[in-house]
Amino acid sequence: MRSESDILIIGSGITGCAVARELSRYNASVIVLERESDVAEGATKANSGIVHAGYDAFPGTRKARYNILGASMYPALCKELGVPYRRNGALVIGFDEADRATIENLLARGKANGVRGLEILERDEALRLEPALSPDVLCALSVPESAIVSPYEMAFALADDAALNGVSFRFNEPVRDVSALPDGRYAVVTDAGSCVCRVLINCAGASGAEIHNRLSSERLEMVHRRGQYYLLDRADPQPFTRTVFQCPSVMGKGVLVTPTVHGNLLLGPTAEDIDDPLDTATTAGGLSEVLAKAFRTWPGLSVRSNITNFSGIRAHLTGDDFIVGPCDGCPGYFEAIGIESPGLSSAPAIGAELSGMVAAWLHLSRKEKTVPLPRRPKPFHDMTDEERARAVQADPSYGQIVCRCETVTEAEIRAAIRRPVGAYSIDAVKRRTRAGMGRCQGGFCMPRVAAIIAEETGLPLQEITKNGGASRLLSGTLSSFGKENADHE
Amino acid sequence: MNERFVNILIVGAGPAGLAAAISARENGITSILIVERENEPGGILRQCIHNGFGLHRFKEELTGPEYAQRDIDRVTELGIPVECSTMVLSVSPDLTVTCISSSKGFQVIHAKAVVLAMGCRERPRGALCTPGTRCAGIYSAGTAQRFVNLEGCMPGKRVVILGSGDIGLIMARRMTLQGAKVLACVEIMPYSSGLNRNIVQCLEDYDIPLYLSHTVTDIRGRERLEGVTVSAVDENRMPVPGTEIEFDCDTLLLSCGLIPENELTSAAGIAISPATSGAIVDETFCTGVPGIFACGNVLHVHDLVDYVSDESFKAGAAAAAYVRGGRTESSFIAVRDGDGVRGTVPQKIRAAADQPVSLMFRPAAVYRNSAAVVDWDGKEICRKKAMIFTPGEMALVTLKAEDLRGISGGTLTVRIERS
Ligand SMILES: Cc1cc2nc3c(=O)[nH]c(=O)nc-3n(C[C@H](O)[C@H](O)[C@H](O)COP(=O)(O)OP(=O)(O)OC[C@H]3O[C@@H](n4cnc5c(N)ncnc54)[C@H](O)[C@@H]3O)c2cc1C
Ligand SMILES: Cc1cc2nc3c(=O)[nH]c(=O)nc-3n(C[C@H](O)[C@H](O)[C@H](O)COP(=O)(O)OP(=O)(O)OC[C@H]3O[C@@H](n4cnc5c(N)ncnc54)[C@H](O)[C@@H]3O)c2cc1C
């Protein structure tokens, strides 16, 4: 397939989605090309989910500026898009005098960056706020502006909004080559065909430097730094209300213990440099490191309530700062590269600025009307009895609970499949509805979810995948399987 | 909101719920309602199409669905309503139950007694913390069983099974018969957690190797599973470097234990035993909340459905007695796990108990030619010898009414005495 557009975005992580949504407000054709089968399949689905207050980045860096600006945009954006967000506050804890020095540095940096409410607490005060903390803490930086968000749900909402306003998302289209055409446009080759565009925007996360290096003579070097996690079951109440960080090091922000917006507890991440940017495996060594470090923060930790492990990969540039904007020597080529932490926090700001630069370059006019994203109904799990009674009366498919652990109804699963950027795999449904995210990890509901996807899409059950590509759930029907094997003999 | 009143409400129409209902009716209770979230009664037995059910209770070998059908027929004959496709959302300590279905919407049901019979679920991969990739092709054995037996689909072609629980063993045979190659069954403990007859009939008969004291230490494959690494473990269950065996497979089935499904129970404020993951009950299967009873796999995981039914008949009768108001205040005798014993049920006995009481438990390891002994405050009151006690098979000692005579407090300890 050959297509043309004004603007082409590579990558549908939170950065690409934020840029796409902002650009959907202009009179221009926009295509997003994504390698995977869904939005948010890169770093955006596997991170700590913290909207950082902005005390960590060095003053004057792009990381600091976008973090502060992005974090300030989150509350209104989450409200508008119906994305779970909570300002739960954070503590950065120290165990010895060296840590105290680090914490004092963070306080100074945070003040220079304009973060409000920072203060250093002594041991007793920290323990009073978070009684599950280790009694070995010496002091803590209190960060009241720190917040938690569901990162992939943010990306889904941004993508839905963009799609409703005319952006076309194309999945399963890995970009294999990019080149500048003599007429000033760019040609992009994917597994499924090619695209020509006036503006090319690189939001390709871990592949950002590779794509950059194909166009620019100024080479960038990227390090892929993996972070592994434990995710513990929901509990009521959770032992921690705040996000608890240990002191950061050159490799990252250290191992944290944090509640998630859905009431689970997240422990991690590690920081290990790896060669393969797609290698999101967890390792015995990495997992035991997370436990050992998290145990230092939280002596009461028990893995009995673990429900899953996962890992995400930071796209770290050796220059140590984000690159956001036009690229010298490549007119019409824009990029957001090296978007490691605090990239999630920064995404709304990067989206707004980058789209502004592109619009100015192309002299785009703003659309007169935008289509607002319809409010999604409250999840059944969070409804009161009265709300549940009304919901099932209005739509009987609310009466069919598909996922027992997270109480997700058939109505919600069908709605997720029918969203503007719809869910066609088990993982896509899971991230949009939480079906299969609970303690049994889909043991009961996965066959039913697969059947509903098959029904909604008209695909045979055997074609349904866990997360696109070759990740099929089944290898055949009993009859075809028997036959195929008989043929072999 | 639709409000109703019943005498006994039963959550779950598996063998436990069905037996409790039959027994409550036979004990004179008229208004009984069974609520089941699946679209048919029968519980997990619906997908167990192999035979081996009912040897104790019916003295014949039935398949799972055949076994369930006998109870379903009896429930129908007794006119007990089963509301299917209806999920119970909450049970409160005042015996109010909320549930939802497409046909009847949201209902509030007030009961005089509630029997919890929600069964159990399988431990997922997360609970095992196995490192590696998170690709397609990793299923709990019961999910695979559902795919094969209820949906007519094959989950994969080259299979490794982690854990030697009965469901895994049954699926090893089932997948083999359907043309898949089962490469290995891997068990971290030095003994199998499944029934011996299943080891013989499902593995040995098909030349499927059983690796004891081994576990899966890595999982490979970006989209679909491509292979697993299996390593030997030491006595602390830690992998021994250098013992790795690689298997190329597209499917990993987990059969690593069952966990009673007690979300409703906990939310009702009922105390849960860490040893069984089920409610703490007395010898009438009454939980810490008067009027709420629990039986079957939701109480503790059984090996055989026959025992589930047996326990549930007792629980149903006790619920009926409770509704008739036949329950007297009583002090309790505590029951405690001693040496070599885990998860004894019941955890307490009413001092007023005038019936024989069966104490059920899991041996902590394999013990040969040993005895299960019950002491009361240090004094032996009952002893049962056995050729073998193994963790794969639930053990049972029955205290006769006269064993308990004169005991009105203190603690009973169940222990294994090695010869
Ligand atoms: C362990 C860890 C913890 C983190 N914690 C936090 C935190 O708490 N707070 C915070 O603010 N930030 C955090 N971050 C950073 C944050 O997750 C990232 O900055 C953010 O998700 C980056 O989004 P992105 O869209 O730039 O990249 P990604 O989400 O990686 O998206 C890039 C997309 O591009 C696609 N793509 C790549 N190559 C191609 C190609 N050739 N063709 C087509 N598509 C392609 C990918 O499939 C992917 O979907 C963390 C990151 C990690 C790894
Ligand atoms: C694969 C497998 C093989 C087995 N093989 C054998 C064998 O060979 N021989 C043998 O004797 N036994 C065998 N068993 C064991 C036997 O099936 C179980 O012991 C028995 O089914 C347990 O009965 P139950 O009623 O406690 O639970 P279940 O059968 O699990 O029934 C519980 C019911 O409660 C319903 N429920 C749960 N929560 C709710 C709610 N909130 N609202 C409404 N309904 C709810 C569930 O849908 C389910 O129908 C096997 C079990 C399995 C899984």
Side-chain angles (χ1 to χ4, degrees):
Chain A
M1 186 166 63
R2 221 186 117 78
S3 53
E4 288 193 19
S5 69
D6 294 322
I7 302 167
L8 197 141
I9 301 172
I10 306 176
S12 67
I14 187 119
T15 312
C17 291
V19 174
R21 175 180 186 251
E22 292 288 340
L23 285 172
S24 73
R25 272 43 179 177
Y26 293 94
N27 289 302
S29 55
V30 184
I31 294 177
V32 179
L33 291 182
E34 169 56 53
R35 177 182 51 212
E36 303 295 330
S37 64
D38 194 10
V39 166
E41 282 277 348
T44 300
K45 74 171 178 199
N47 55 64
S48 307
I50 315 294
V51 179
H52 291 291
Y55 58 82
D56 186 48
F58 286 95
T61 59
R62 277 180 292 268
K63 282 185 179 172
R65 190 164 68 80
Y66 285 115
N67 183 349
I68 297 284
L69 190 61
S72 74
M73 295 165 76
Y74 258 92
L77 192 58
C78 288
K79 199 158 174 229
E80 182 187 349
L81 298 177
V83 174
Y85 167 92
R86 198 165 88 236
R87 186 165 281 183
N88 65 326
L91 297 179
V92 185
I93 57 172
F95 294 99
D96 53 31
E97 289 304 326
D99 286 349
R100 185 190 288 278
T102 307
I103 284 174
E104 280 165 0
N105 269 333
L106 291 176
L107 174 70
R109 258 190 253 167
K111 283 190 172 157
N113 288 340
V115 182
R116 282 167 304 203
L118 297 177
E119 60 176 322
I120 295 182
L121 309 177
E122 292 308 316
R123 174 180 183 274
D124 292 355
E125 182 59 9
L127 282 170
R128 193 184 61 77
L129 292 179
E130 292 294 346
L133 267 185
S134 162
D136 294 341
V137 301
L138 182 70
C139 61
L141 178 68
S142 163
V143 190
E145 285 194 333
S146 187
I148 48 181
V149 70
S150 168
Y152 43 85
E153 286 177 80
M154 186 67 186
F156 296 144
L158 292 167
D160 278 349
D161 184 303
L164 272 181
N165 286 287
V167 173
S168 136
F169 283 83
R170 294 190 358 204
F171 295 105
N172 307 307
E173 283 209 44
V175 169
R176 299 295 181 198
D177 196 17
V178 289
S179 54
L181 295 176
D183 63 3
R185 295 188 299 168
Y186 289 90
V188 171
V189 180
T190 75
D191 279 2
S194 64
C195 267
V196 171
C197 57
R198 293 167 65 201
V199 161
L200 176 66
I201 309 178
N202 174 357
C203 300
S207 315
E210 189 193 320
I211 290 171
H212 167 99
N213 290 343
R214 284 176 187 265
L215 292 172
S216 167
S217 51
E218 238 167 89
R219 296 193 65 78
L220 291 178
E221 207 182 311
M222 194 171 257
V223 174
H224 304 292
R225 191 164 284 168
R226 183 164 63 192
Q228 307 188 25
Y229 290 94
Y230 273 87
L231 183 79
L232 307 190
D233 202 355
R234 290 194 206 233
D236 192 21
Q238 277 293 7
F240 294 95
T241 51
R242 288 170 190 73
T243 301
V244 182
F245 297 93
Q246 292 176 3
C247 282
S249 71
V250 284
M251 291 292 274
K253 294 191 179 61
V255 166
L256 56 74
V257 175
T258 185
T260 69
V261 282
H262 295 292
N264 297 82
L265 211 60
L266 195 58
L267 317 178
T270 52
E272 337 132 34
D273 294 348
I274 54 168
D275 295 330
D276 176 359
L278 295 177
D279 183 8
T280 54
T282 56
T283 61
L287 293 178
S288 60
E289 181 189 332
V290 171
L291 278 192
K293 290 188 172 162
F295 195 69
R296 203 165 173 221
T297 296
W298 178 28
L301 163 62
S302 152
V303 276
R304 262 186 83 147
S305 57
N306 188 50
I307 55 181
T308 189
N309 298 100
F310 62 87
S311 78
I313 295 169
R314 305 173 186 85
H316 174 75
L317 283 176
T318 45
D320 205 31
D321 202 2
F322 296 163
I323 294 179
V324 177
C327 174
D328 277 349
C330 308
Y333 167 63
F334 294 76
E335 49 195 15
I337 311 184
I339 312 301
E340 57 179 332
S341 188
L344 171 63
S345 320
S346 305
I350 295 178
E353 281 204 9
L354 199 52
S355 63
M357 296 176 201
V358 170
W361 201 81
L362 283 174
H363 304 292
L364 299 178
S365 59
R366 277 193 96 88
K367 286 181 185 166
E368 279 172 17
K369 276 216 287 272
T370 55
V371 187
L373 188 64
R375 273 234 153 272
R376 271 194 316 283
K378 192 174 189 180
F380 183 84
H381 180 275
D382 301 334
M383 288 182 188
T384 64
D385 285 355
E386 289 71 27
E387 288 168 334
R388 288 175 170 182
R390 273 198 301 277
V392 65
Q393 202 168 27
D395 176 356
S397 63
Y398 269 104
Q400 289 306 308
I401 311 287
V402 176
C403 167
R404 313 167 174 188
C405 302
E406 297 287 320
T407 348
V408 181
T409 63
E410 187 180 318
E412 292 166 290
I413 289 166
R414 292 194 188 273
I417 300 169
R418 296 173 190 166
R419 279 173 71 158
V421 176
Y424 304 112
S425 68
I426 296 293
D427 281 359
V429 167
K430 172 172 105 176
R431 289 198 196 97
R432 283 171 182 79
T433 63
R434 295 189 61 75
M437 282 226 174
R439 52 192 76 87
C440 92
Q441 289 285 293
F444 283 117
C445 66
M446 189 260 289
R448 180 74 193 120
V449 172
I452 297 174
I453 298 174
E455 220 176 279
E456 287 276 330
T457 57
L459 290 170
L461 194 57
Q462 288 76 252
E463 299 287 314
I464 307 303
T465 62
K466 178 172 184 288
N467 53 6
S471 68
R472 292 216 178 122
L473 300 175
L474 299 167
S475 59
T477 56
L478 287 193
S479 48
S480 72
F481 197 78
K483 229 193 298 129
E484 188 189 313
N485 273 299
D487 290 348
H488 275 293
E489 273 148 29
Chain B
M1 243 181 274
N2 178 345
E3 278 196 61
R4 296 159 69 181
F5 294 84
V6 299
N7 279 329
I8 299 184
L9 185 128
I10 294 166
V11 188
L18 294 169
I22 294 166
S23 145
R25 165 59 49 89
E26 286 172 348
N27 281 277
I29 302 298
T30 46
S31 152
I32 301 171
L33 174 65
I34 311 179
V35 178
E36 166 58 50
R37 91 182 130 202
E38 294 292 323
N39 57 9
E40 279 176 62
I44 205 73
L45 292 180
R46 291 171 56 221
Q47 67 183 57
C48 302
I49 59 171
H50 57 282
N51 55 14
F53 298 83
L55 275 171
H56 294 259
R57 183 170 161 209
F58 298 116
K59 313 286 176 243
E60 49 183 314
E61 265 203 83
L62 305 173
T63 64
E66 285 167 351
Y67 184 105
Q69 198 57 45
R70 297 208 173 178
D71 288 333
I72 296 169
D73 288 345
R74 181 73 181 137
V75 160
T76 313
E77 199 179 290
L78 292 170
I80 304 171
V82 186
E83 255 172 47
C84 289
S85 303
T86 307
M87 166 103 173
V88 172
L89 298 169
S90 72
V91 175
S92 61
D94 68 356
L95 309 184
T96 302
V97 172
T98 64
C99 55
I100 197 160
S101 66
S102 293
S103 56
K104 294 202 171 153
F106 188 89
Q107 302 184 66
V108 179
I109 304 176
H110 304 279
K112 291 183 184 158
V114 173
V115 180
L116 304 175
M118 289 90 75
C120 59
R121 62 161 178 272
E122 299 173 275
R123 280 176 76 195
R125 172 177 175 193
L128 312 172
C129 308
T130 310
T133 57
R134 289 162 304 287
C135 46
I138 304 169
Y139 303 107
S140 65
T143 307
Q145 185 182 46
R146 186 190 162 122
F147 268 133
V148 178
N149 292 351
L150 296 186
E151 323 273 349
C153 296
M154 276 301 271
K157 304 182 178 181
R158 290 175 67 82
V159 186
V160 168
I161 297 180
L162 175 59
S164 61
D166 286 314
I167 316 177
L169 300 177
I170 298 279
M171 282 313 289
R173 176 174 64 186
R174 183 83 179 111
M175 297 285 285
T176 305
L177 290 175
Q178 287 303 327
K181 175 81 187 150
V182 179
L183 303 165
C185 177
V186 180
E187 167 63 55
I188 194 165
M189 301 304 283
Y191 47 80
S192 159
S193 57
L195 297 173
N196 196 47
R197 72 162 197 237
N198 283 337
I199 303 271
V200 175
Q201 294 171 8
C202 300
L203 296 184
E204 290 173 8
D205 287 0
Y206 297 89
D207 294 326
I208 299 168
L210 171 62
Y211 291 85
L212 295 175
S213 297
H214 278 71
T215 191
V216 170
T217 46
D218 196 18
I219 294 175
R220 295 187 306 278
R222 192 166 115 74
E223 296 182 318
R224 176 81 195 198
L225 183 65
E226 287 163 14
V228 299
T229 306
V230 168
S231 308
V233 297
D234 62 21
E235 52 283 3
N236 300 317
R237 287 185 253 159
M238 296 307 288
V240 181
T243 60
E244 294 82 3
I245 316 170
E246 303 292 334
F247 288 97
D248 291 333
C249 56
D250 64 5
T251 307
L252 175 67
L253 298 187
L254 307 177
S255 180
C256 303
L258 300 167
I259 309 171
E261 195 165 327
N262 274 302
E263 280 70 43
L264 291 175
T265 320
S266 303
I270 293 168
I272 302 285
S273 151
T276 58
S277 302
I280 292 177
V281 293
D282 65 22
E283 84 291 357
T284 69
F285 302 97
C286 186
T287 67
V289 174
I292 302 186
F293 296 79
C295 57
N297 277 352
V298 78
L299 180 60
H300 54 157
V301 177
H302 296 70
D303 312 315
L304 292 179
V305 66
D306 307 62
Y307 301 149
V308 167
S309 303
D310 183 45
E311 171 176 296
S312 306
F313 276 111
K314 294 180 191 161
Y322 181 85
V323 169
R324 289 196 312 266
R327 193 183 168 86
T328 44
E329 279 297 310
S330 165
S331 57
F332 289 102
I333 311 161
V335 180
R336 206 176 62 84
D337 296 342
D339 238 14
V341 166
R342 291 221 185 109
T344 309
V345 171
Q347 292 85 353
K348 53 189 181 177
I349 298 174
R350 291 176 316 146
D354 50 6
Q355 299 283 322
V357 176
S358 298
L359 300 174
M360 295 166 272
F361 64 89
R362 296 243 164 223
V366 179
Y367 306 105
R368 288 178 200 282
N369 301 317
S370 302
V373 178
V374 182
D375 298 328
W376 176 64
D377 288 352
K379 196 177 88 212
E380 178 176 325
I381 62 166
C382 177
R383 167 178 291 262
K384 180 181 170 185
K385 286 198 191 122
M387 303 260 286
I388 185 164
F389 287 102
T390 118
E393 299 189 17
M394 192 186 283
L396 183 135
V397 225
T398 302
L399 300 176
K400 296 187 287 292
E402 57 265 31
D403 293 334
L404 290 168
R405 197 163 297 144
I407 296 178
S408 64
T411 304
L412 292 177
T413 305
V414 189
R415 63 185 170 88
I416 293 205
E417 195 175 277
R418 281 168 252 189
S419 55

